[in-house]
Amino acid sequence: MVGAGMIGAIHRRAAALAGARITGVLASTPARSEQVAREWEVPAYPSLDALLDDTSVDVVHICSPNATHAPFALRALAAGKHVVCEKPLAVSVAEAERMAETARDSGLVAAVPFVYRYHPLVREIRARRIDGEFGGWHLIHGSYLQDWMLSPQASGWRVDPVAGGPSRAFADIGSHWCDLVEWVSGERFAEVVASTSIALDKRPAAESRTFAADSPDPSPEYMDVSTEDCAALLLRTAAGVLASTTVSQVSAGRKNRLWFELDGARASAVFDQENPETIWLGGEDGARIISRDPGHGSAEQRRLSVLPPGHAQGYAECFEAFVADTYAAIGGDPPEGLPTFDDGLRAARITEAVLRSSRNGSWTEV
């Protein structure tokens, strides 16, 4: 495990549940590595070299800041390790292209945790689309809203474009929405017109953020903010279907609301990640709610439904299923829908198009 923050802990738990032996952890500093190693009851690696020299390591999970993804992943692949790398895959399209090409040439498994693909009812919508239930799409729309950057004191390495890259909200969560909607709908976004905004032009410098959000300290060291808090997109698919989405990390009360609606010629479908146990299916003669149920529905919905009906599944189970599928692919049995470095590259290209469009104010090819 490279990186030991919130997402690193989620990777570690999912890996352990999938049967992996955690050989060790490399965190941001030697002291942090030792601290986490004690908490996780695993060894601490003194360096990336030491980790990659460990012949017992089969797969490296990269959960460190965005700017480290490309160098770390490329070194891991060169060392013959399978890789799970957090998104965004890279902070530029050129880096993402190199990573995807290296992964393809290596023959190793290189996966990106676009884990919302693993909600059972997301699979149900996709299966119904493949079966032709909805007809051709007329309109695609939705949003991905959070509020973790609402406080003027909220900050972190993601705000620093050197560590986090030139896009923040869209690269972090808008990429999830686009990946999920493209995968479920079968459409590919071909062009976009986008606008972005920054809620606060200054935030506490990440390295000096040692106080709580409601701290009375009025004078922390501040840094200029150049990455977006919000983005509004109008998109058109290769087939000419119109789509729109809104992305925000400053929408009060919205914790992790990824929502989409797919409107077809015969029926529509709605999924809300904050309420993942049901989907809304609409028809001209009315609408109905479908609940997750391992005894009914598509084969993939049943496979991923690991709890009985009425026993809520959510994000954690998605992550666990993603890691288990990654390890199945390493074992030679690649499952349906595993997101790879090619999907990470796709997200990088959409992100770059969004940033270019927000600068030039015009339709921009992906």
Side-chain angles (χ1 to χ4, degrees), residues 2-28:
V2 179
M6 178 275 288
I7 201 65
I10 291 173
H11 277 255
R12 176 246 182 179
R13 181 178 185 275
L17 288 171
R21 178 175 65 87
I22 312 300
T23 62
V25 60
L26 176 65
S28 55

Side-chain angles (χ1 to χ4, degrees), residues 86-101:
E86 265 299 327
K87 31 63 46 193
L89 186 61
V91 296
S92 72
V93 169
E95 281 187 344
E97 287 174 339
R98 185 180 174 198
M99 295 167 75
E101 181 180 5

